[in-house]
């Protein structure tokens, strides 16, 4: 009996362990379905979905346990059809996507309009005969929920000799506690599938909504879905495949740049050999900085000559002369040197003055001073820093980059302390205070109830001679894949109306401490016409504490 009890305990422990590793949210994203031409024209009874769409939905049903599915635009295209045909396409999509969720469970499918969405109502001519972008009245209103007046934005689109059409240009849902903001293609795309710009009014609504969402928690993970990419996106086939350089595009980029915890998913650009993901999901992931420019991490520093600047005061750590054993902070730059310790992944920090060197030393009660003796220190790169909480990951590869923020950690009597710029005592007994931190393996947490976003324990490492560092990283965008790739080496002779050799969709797995983007292949893989494509490309992982309106994970 005792053995049976222990066996059951072991099995239950294993189940708990597996459950702890389960994502708290799973999102599937399919884009550019392009149900088009002979698939949807002709007699309404002959209307059908593109073969790759059905293939991918069947695979998702078999392989995934999604909490939500996003169809990210260009669901139809390239033909003018009667409204009854379009309604049949919508009906087939609704039934097929609902079917991937278990019977009796919620079926949240988000529909985002693309640049081709309105074509089937009359190609690029006006007036359009019906609203071919209406996926709210059916099925989202029923399956996802009724949108309150303050959760959606409608805009009026001129429609030639007919009355203007009222279009759902942007909206916001909360699914499983996570905010999802969608920017639909609106009045510009209604008139022309090739006018790659959103209206300034719809972008302003998005800006206001994001400000509202983030007001309570700037660390919240928010998903933003829009069909069109920025023109500077990684691996874009051509800059003119991105959004036009106009006031609305500038406003959108500067808006998103204010929110580092936002994830922007786009589609649209699926032509040419740069479009399809080959071996790494990161091929089509682009990180931006807080100024809205593509983020370019600073190069590794020269370990023999760099500066350490306090993030709160912008003063530099150092010392003045050999007779001054205790370090201080100064307005002017002070030279530092880093050397590896005999202990793995630990370092010694050396302050260089005109006549000698002194080491950063962690002493009694975690107070720091300059000393001829060395102290093994650990450096932790800051991941998040807001609302009185800092999370950081230990530098274990020796690569320290200019412009990044770090905690300098000393160990004394079994306790870990982060070097701050706060002084203790005066004269020869002057020290810098160490803040108590919690270290768990290579992860660190630090809470300071007396501050919000400015921490005395955070230091920026700079290359010497440069007081200006690169802008901090902000949001990132990622490509959703496509049900139809074209004009590439793989599709010799061109993809057919019904099928494509390459069909890719993006899966997003959200955990308490990270977000994983995983592009997946659902058609042919291996080497095709000389091009090698992995069945499952390497994922893109973002380490961050994930918070949302429904779930606030506890620190471990």
């Amino acid at each position: 009996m005792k053995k049976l009890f222990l066996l059951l305990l072991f099995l239950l422990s294993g189940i708990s362990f597996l459950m702890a590793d389960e994502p708290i949210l799973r999102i599937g994203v399919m884009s550019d379905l392009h149900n088009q031409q002979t698939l949807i024209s002709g007699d309404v009874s002959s209307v059908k979905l593109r073969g790759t769409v059905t293939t991918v939905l069947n695979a998702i049903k078999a392989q995934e346990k999604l909490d939500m599915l996003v169809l990210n635009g260009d669901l139809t295209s390239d033909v003018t059809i009667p409204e009854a045909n379009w309604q049949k396409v919508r009906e087939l999509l609704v039934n097929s996507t609902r079917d991937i969720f278990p019977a009796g469970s919620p079926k949240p499918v988000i529909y985002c309009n693309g640049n081709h969405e309105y074509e089937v109502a009359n190609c690029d001519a006006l007036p359009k005969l019906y609203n071919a972008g209406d996926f709210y009245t059916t099925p989202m209103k029923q399956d996802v929920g009724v949108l309150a007046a303050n959760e959606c934005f409608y805009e009026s689109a001129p429609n030639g000799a007919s009355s203007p059409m009222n279009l759902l240009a942007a909206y916001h849902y909360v699914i499983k506690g996570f905010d999802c903001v969608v920017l639909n293609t609106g009045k510009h795309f209604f008139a022309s599938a090739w006018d790659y710009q959103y209206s300034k009014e719809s972008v302003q609504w998005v800006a206001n909504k994001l400000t509202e969402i983030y007001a309570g928690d700037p660390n919240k993970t928010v998903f933003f879905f829009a069909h069109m990419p920025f023109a500077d996106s990684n691996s874009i086939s051509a800059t003119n495949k991105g959004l036009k350089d106009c006031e609305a595009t500038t406003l959108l980029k500067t808006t998103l740049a204010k929110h580092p915890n936002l994830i922007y998913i786009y589609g649209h650009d699926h032509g040419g050999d740069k479009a399809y993901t080959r071996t790494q999901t990161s091929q089509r992931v682009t990180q931006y900085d807080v100024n809205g420019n593509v983020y370019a991490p600073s190069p590794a520093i020269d370990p023999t000559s760099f500066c350490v600047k306090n993030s709160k005061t912008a003063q530099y750590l150092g010392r003045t002369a050999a007779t001054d054993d205790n370090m201080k902070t100064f307005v002017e730059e002070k030279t530092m040197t880093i050397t590896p310790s005999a202990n793995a992944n630990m370092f010694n920090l050396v302050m260089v003055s005109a006549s000698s060197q002194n080491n950063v030393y962690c002493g009694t009660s975690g107070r720091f001073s300059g000393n001829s003796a060395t102290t093994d220190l650990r450096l932790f790169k800051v991941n998040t820093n807001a609302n009185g909480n800092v999370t950081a990951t230990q530098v274990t590869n020796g690569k320290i980059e200019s412009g990044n923020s770090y905690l300098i950690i000393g160990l004394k009597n079994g306790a870990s302390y982060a070097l701050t710029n706060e002084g203790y005592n005066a004269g020869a007994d002057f020290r810098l205070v160490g803040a108590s931190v919690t270290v768990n393996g290579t992860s660190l947490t630090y809470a300071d109830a007396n501050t919000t976003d400015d921490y005395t324990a955070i230091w920026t490492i700079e290359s010497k001679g440069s007081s200006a560092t690169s802008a901090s990283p902000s949001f990132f965008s990622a490509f959703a894949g496509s049900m139809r790739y074209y004009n590439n080496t793989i599709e010799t002779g061109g993809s057919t109306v019904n099928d494509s050799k390459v069909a890719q969709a993006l899966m997003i797995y959200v955990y308490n401490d990270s977000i994983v983007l995983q592009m997946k292949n659902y058609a042919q893989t291996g080497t095709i016409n000389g091009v090698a494509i992995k069945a499952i490309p390497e994922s893109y992982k973002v380490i961050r504490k994930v918070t949302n309106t429904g779930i606030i994970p506890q620190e471990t």
Side-chain angles (χ1 to χ4, degrees):
M1 179 62 74
K2 184 177 181 181
K3 288 182 178 180
L4 178 60
F5 173 77
L6 291 174
L7 177 60
L8 288 171
L9 182 63
F10 173 77
L11 291 172
L12 288 171
S13 299
I15 292 170
S16 299
F17 175 77
L18 290 172
M19 291 177 65
D21 288 340
E22 286 290 298
I24 57 177
L25 183 73
R26 302 173 181 87
I27 304 174
V29 190
M30 297 171 62
S31 190
D32 296 274
L33 282 61
H34 285 284
N35 299 293
Q36 62 188 63
Q37 297 171 338
T38 56
L39 291 171
I40 60 176
S41 58
D43 189 85
V44 67
S45 63
S46 66
V47 169
K48 62 180 179 179
L49 300 180
R50 177 180 287 276
T52 49
V53 173
T54 303
T55 297
V56 172
L57 287 172
N58 288 339
I60 288 175
K61 180 179 180 180
Q63 299 170 13
E64 309 286 345
K65 296 179 180 178
L66 294 186
D67 296 297
M68 62 182 288
L69 176 70
V70 180
L71 301 184
N72 214 43
D74 283 1
L75 311 185
T76 56
S77 68
D78 295 341
V79 69
T80 294
I81 58 175
E83 185 173 7
N85 287 48
W86 174 77
Q87 289 177 342
K88 182 64 175 179
V89 178
R90 183 174 64 176
E91 177 188 336
L92 292 173
L93 277 175
V94 170
N95 291 338
S96 297
T97 54
R98 282 175 176 168
D99 188 53
I100 71 170
F101 297 95
S105 69
K107 304 180 190 305
V109 182
I110 297 291
Y111 291 79
C112 174
N113 288 346
N115 59 301
H116 286 286
E117 227 59 69
Y118 301 104
E119 274 195 326
V120 299
N122 199 16
C123 280
D124 279 349
L126 294 176
K128 304 290 187 190
L129 305 180
Y130 54 92
N131 182 356
D134 179 18
F135 292 92
Y136 171 60
T137 56
T138 299
M140 288 196 297
K141 191 173 183 179
Q142 176 184 348
D143 291 349
V144 190
V146 176
L147 288 167
N150 66 333
E151 300 293 5
C152 55
F153 174 74
Y154 284 85
E155 65 184 6
S156 179
N159 195 22
S162 295
S163 300
M165 193 81 77
N166 206 28
L167 307 178
L168 178 60
Y171 59 94
H172 168 232
Y173 276 119
V174 178
I175 299 176
K176 283 200 70 175
F178 284 89
D179 294 272
C180 300
V181 177
V182 179
L183 180 59
N184 271 340
T185 48
K187 60 185 181 182
H188 295 293
F189 296 90
F190 185 79
S192 170
W194 312 105
D195 194 1
Y196 294 168
Q197 61 177 315
Y198 294 105
S199 69
K200 185 179 178 182
E201 297 86 352
S202 62
V203 172
Q204 187 61 60
W205 186 89
V206 167
N208 295 341
K209 179 55 63 176
L210 289 174
T211 298
E212 174 189 319
I213 290 170
Y214 277 109
D217 181 4
N219 285 328
K220 187 185 297 184
T221 294
V222 172
F223 295 98
F224 175 68
F225 299 99
H227 184 69
M228 301 297 299
F230 290 126
D232 55 3
S233 301
N234 281 344
S235 203
I236 197 167
S237 61
T239 56
N240 63 8
K241 292 295 289 184
L243 286 166
K244 282 184 176 179
D245 184 8
C246 62
E247 191 174 359
T249 298
T250 300
L251 175 60
L252 179 60
K253 185 176 278 190
T254 55
T255 293
L256 301 186
K258 295 177 183 177
H259 307 296
N261 293 300
L262 180 141
I263 299 171
Y264 169 20
I265 306 298
Y266 68 87
H268 177 64
D269 181 39
H270 50 106
D273 281 324
K274 295 172 69 176
Y276 47 88
T277 301
R278 301 191 186 193
T279 60
Q280 295 182 319
T281 302
S282 61
Q283 174 190 329
R284 301 211 62 177
V285 175
T286 309
Q287 181 149 36
Y288 292 86
D289 65 24
V290 293
N291 296 322
N293 301 314
V294 175
Y295 176 66
S298 300
I301 63 164
D302 176 358
T304 65
S305 180
F306 61 93
C307 302
V308 177
K309 183 171 72 174
N310 188 262
S311 295
K312 184 175 180 65
T313 64
Q315 292 192 345
Y316 294 90
L317 185 68
R319 61 193 297 272
T320 54
T323 55
D324 185 0
D325 286 339
N326 293 318
M327 59 190 174
K328 300 176 182 178
T329 57
F330 301 85
V331 174
E332 66 274 14
E333 290 184 344
K334 295 294 180 181
T335 302
M336 304 286 290
T337 296
I338 189 168
T339 58
S341 162
N343 295 314
N345 298 320
M346 292 190 175
F347 306 88
N348 301 137
L349 278 179
V350 183
M351 299 175 289
V352 181
S353 68
S355 57
S356 66
Q357 299 181 355
N358 238 3
N359 302 298
V360 175
Y361 183 82
C362 182
T364 304
S365 299
R367 300 185 187 106
F368 290 80
S369 64
N371 201 298
S372 58
T374 59
T375 293
D376 285 346
L377 304 171
R378 285 179 287 176
L379 296 182
F380 283 75
K381 183 180 177 181
V382 174
N383 298 323
T384 61
N385 170 20
N387 284 351
N389 294 284
V390 173
T391 63
T393 303
Q394 185 177 357
V395 175
T396 58
N397 57 7
K399 186 179 180 182
I400 303 169
E401 295 178 338
S402 178
N404 286 329
S405 297
Y406 297 89
L407 296 175
I408 301 170
I409 306 300
L411 186 68
K412 192 68 177 180
N413 297 328
S416 296
Y417 298 92
L419 172 66
T420 76
N421 74 329
E422 298 173 9
Y424 175 82
N425 275 342
D429 292 324
F430 183 82
R431 302 285 188 273
L432 289 178
V433 174
S436 180
V437 296
T438 301
V439 175
N440 183 8
T442 59
S443 299
L444 177 150
T445 59
Y446 163 48
D448 188 343
N450 298 319
T451 57
T452 53
D453 293 329
D454 244 344
Y455 292 88
T456 58
I458 294 180
W459 303 83
T460 301
I461 291 181
E462 294 181 356
S463 296
K464 187 166 171 56
S466 171
S467 58
T469 61
S470 60
S472 301
S474 185
F475 77 100
F476 65 88
S477 68
F479 180 55
S482 173
M483 300 299 99
R484 181 191 70 140
Y485 290 95
Y486 64 95
N487 289 349
N488 57 59
T489 302
I490 291 174
E491 299 286 355
T492 55
S495 57
T496 69
V497 173
N498 186 61
D499 218 342
S500 176
K501 289 184 179 178
V502 182
Q504 298 180 322
L506 183 70
M507 299 295 128
I508 304 173
Y509 306 111
V510 182
Y511 299 86
N512 287 341
D513 59 357
S514 62
I515 297 168
V516 176
L517 303 185
Q518 179 65 71
M519 187 66 80
K520 288 193 173 184
N521 283 291
Y522 295 95
Q524 297 184 38
T525 57
T527 300
I528 313 170
N529 294 334
V531 180
I533 298 183
K534 280 187 175 181
I536 301 181
E538 184 179 336
S539 63
Y540 181 88
K541 186 175 184 179
V542 180
I543 303 296
R544 75 165 62 154
K545 177 185 176 184
V546 176
T547 63
N548 59 49
T549 54
I551 305 168
I552 301 182
Q554 298 299 310
E555 292 286 352
T556 56

